[in-house]
């Protein structure tokens, strides 16, 4: 999934004098307070940290009414820094006739509204369960519990809420996409080779999915009769 970043950071933490006897524990508490919140400093949501190391052995005392002391340290952070048009992945937790609700990375909620669900998917009740089923591929079904891949439209940094889209053809059920992507690519190449040998001109637009190509099947055919070919050759 896109949007996950590992970052090395040099930090300065300011601690109260009452914590001077347990500096390391105080630092861990300060770092833990950053978890699952959006940090403007890191430009992302802090998911985890590790490898905390002091850069010097002496803390600097700051003058004032409460003489805080500053500690310089280095740590490695795992960040979630989503941007528009990134591909994200999440688990479907709720379906309605007008929306799909998803949880991303176990903490951030996402919603895909009706206008952002491509027409290929039809909302229906199947075996007593609400689903979005593909009209083109009967086994491509989205239901509660399905892991889906979707496009990020926008991200609300304050409440960590995501607005997504299933308009692109390379979005939908991850299980179905990963299982059929290779088959579609192989079939598409075979069809292209056959049609080119028959004198047809084929134009295929492709979207990149994790380094692989996904056919959009925007095919324009130029047919010529046998008589036209003979006339051109002469």
């Amino acid at each position: 999934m896109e949007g996950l970043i590992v970052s090395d950071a040099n930090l300065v933490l300011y601690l109260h004098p009452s914590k001077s006897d347990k500096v390391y524990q105080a630092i861990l508490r300060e770092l833990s307070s950053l978890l699952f919140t959006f940090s403007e400093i890191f430009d992302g949501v802090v998911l985890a940290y590790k490898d905390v190391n002091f850069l010097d052995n002496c803390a600097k005392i700051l003058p004032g009414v409460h003489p805080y002391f500053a500690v310089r340290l280095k740590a490695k952070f795992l960040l979630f820094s989503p941007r528009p048009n990134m591909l994200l992945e999440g688990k479907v937790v709720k379906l309605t006739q007008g929306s799909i609700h998803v949880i991303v990375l176990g903490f951030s909620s996402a919603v895909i509204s009706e206008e952002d669900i491509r027409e290929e998917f039809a909302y229906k009740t199947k075996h007593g369960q609400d689903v979005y089923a593909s009209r083109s591929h009967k086994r491509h079904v989205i239901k509660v519990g399905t892991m889906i891949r979707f496009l990020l439209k926008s991200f609300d940094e304050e409440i960590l809420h995501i607005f997504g889209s299933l308009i692109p053809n390379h979005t939908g059920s991850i299980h179905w996409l990963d299982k059929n992507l290779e088959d579609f690519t192989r079939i598409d190449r075979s069809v292209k080779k056959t049609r080119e040998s028959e004198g047809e001109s084929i134009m295929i637009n492709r979207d990149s999915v994790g380094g692989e190509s996904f056919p959009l099947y925007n095919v324009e055919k130029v047919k010529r009769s046998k008589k036209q070919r003979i006339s051109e050759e002469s």
Side-chain angles (χ1 to χ4, degrees):
M1 183 178 78
E2 298 177 339
L4 293 175
I5 301 171
V6 175
S7 175
D8 292 313
N10 295 324
L11 303 174
V12 177
L13 293 184
Y14 300 95
L15 304 177
H16 192 274
S18 63
K19 300 176 182 179
S20 60
D21 59 337
K22 295 182 179 180
V23 174
Y24 189 72
Q25 290 85 342
I27 288 174
L28 294 183
R29 282 195 293 270
E30 290 294 327
L31 294 179
S32 295
S33 69
L34 299 174
L35 296 177
F36 303 107
T37 59
F38 185 87
S39 170
E40 293 185 357
I41 296 175
F42 295 116
D43 194 22
V45 180
V46 180
L47 300 182
Y49 64 87
K50 68 173 185 176
D51 299 339
V52 180
N53 296 305
F54 293 101
L55 295 181
D56 51 39
N57 295 324
C58 298
K60 182 180 180 182
I61 306 300
L62 303 179
V65 177
H66 298 289
Y68 281 75
F69 60 96
V71 180
R72 296 176 61 244
L73 56 93
K74 183 176 182 179
K76 190 181 294 289
F77 289 86
L78 175 63
L79 306 173
F80 176 51
S81 185
R83 295 290 184 272
N85 297 321
M86 280 185 173
L87 286 174
L88 302 183
E89 299 174 0
K91 184 177 182 179
V92 176
V93 294
K94 182 181 178 181
L95 289 176
T96 69
Q97 191 166 359
S99 61
I100 298 175
H101 298 261
V102 182
I103 290 295
V104 178
L105 295 174
F107 76 93
S108 183
S109 62
V111 63
I112 303 170
S113 56
E114 184 177 12
E115 60 268 22
D116 293 313
I117 302 173
R118 63 181 180 274
E119 294 182 357
E120 173 190 343
F121 290 104
Y123 178 81
K124 61 179 67 176
T125 301
K126 191 174 182 180
H127 304 301
Q129 186 177 28
D130 295 334
V131 303
Y132 274 91
S134 170
R135 295 184 176 94
S136 304
H137 310 283
K138 64 180 182 179
R139 295 191 178 184
H140 193 178
V141 177
I142 296 174
K143 57 186 178 181
V144 172
T146 299
M147 292 295 297
I148 66 170
R149 184 176 295 129
F150 63 95
L151 195 73
L152 172 68
K153 290 183 62 180
S154 63
F155 177 59
D156 190 317
E157 299 170 351
E158 186 172 343
I159 61 175
L160 307 182
H161 186 73
I162 297 169
F163 295 92
S165 169
L166 285 175
I167 296 297
N169 284 354
H170 56 276
T171 59
S173 165
I174 294 177
H175 176 75
W176 188 90
L177 290 171
D178 291 348
K179 186 177 180 180
N180 292 276
L181 182 61
E182 184 177 349
D183 292 340
F184 282 164
T185 303
R186 184 171 59 252
I187 292 172
D188 176 68
R189 289 172 180 168
S190 176
V191 171
K192 179 179 179 180
K193 184 176 181 180
T194 302
R195 289 179 175 172
E196 286 180 338
S197 66
E198 293 176 352
E200 297 178 354
S201 175
I202 300 177
M203 299 171 60
I204 301 179
N205 295 326
R206 298 177 181 274
D207 279 355
S208 177
V209 186
E212 297 186 46
S213 296
F214 189 92
L216 298 184
Y217 298 108
N218 293 331
V219 180
E220 180 180 322
K221 303 178 182 178
V222 181
K223 295 184 177 179
R224 296 180 298 171
S225 67
K226 182 176 180 180
K227 182 180 295 183
Q228 286 177 315
R229 290 197 296 270
I230 294 175
S231 176
E232 291 176 2
E233 291 174 358
S234 60

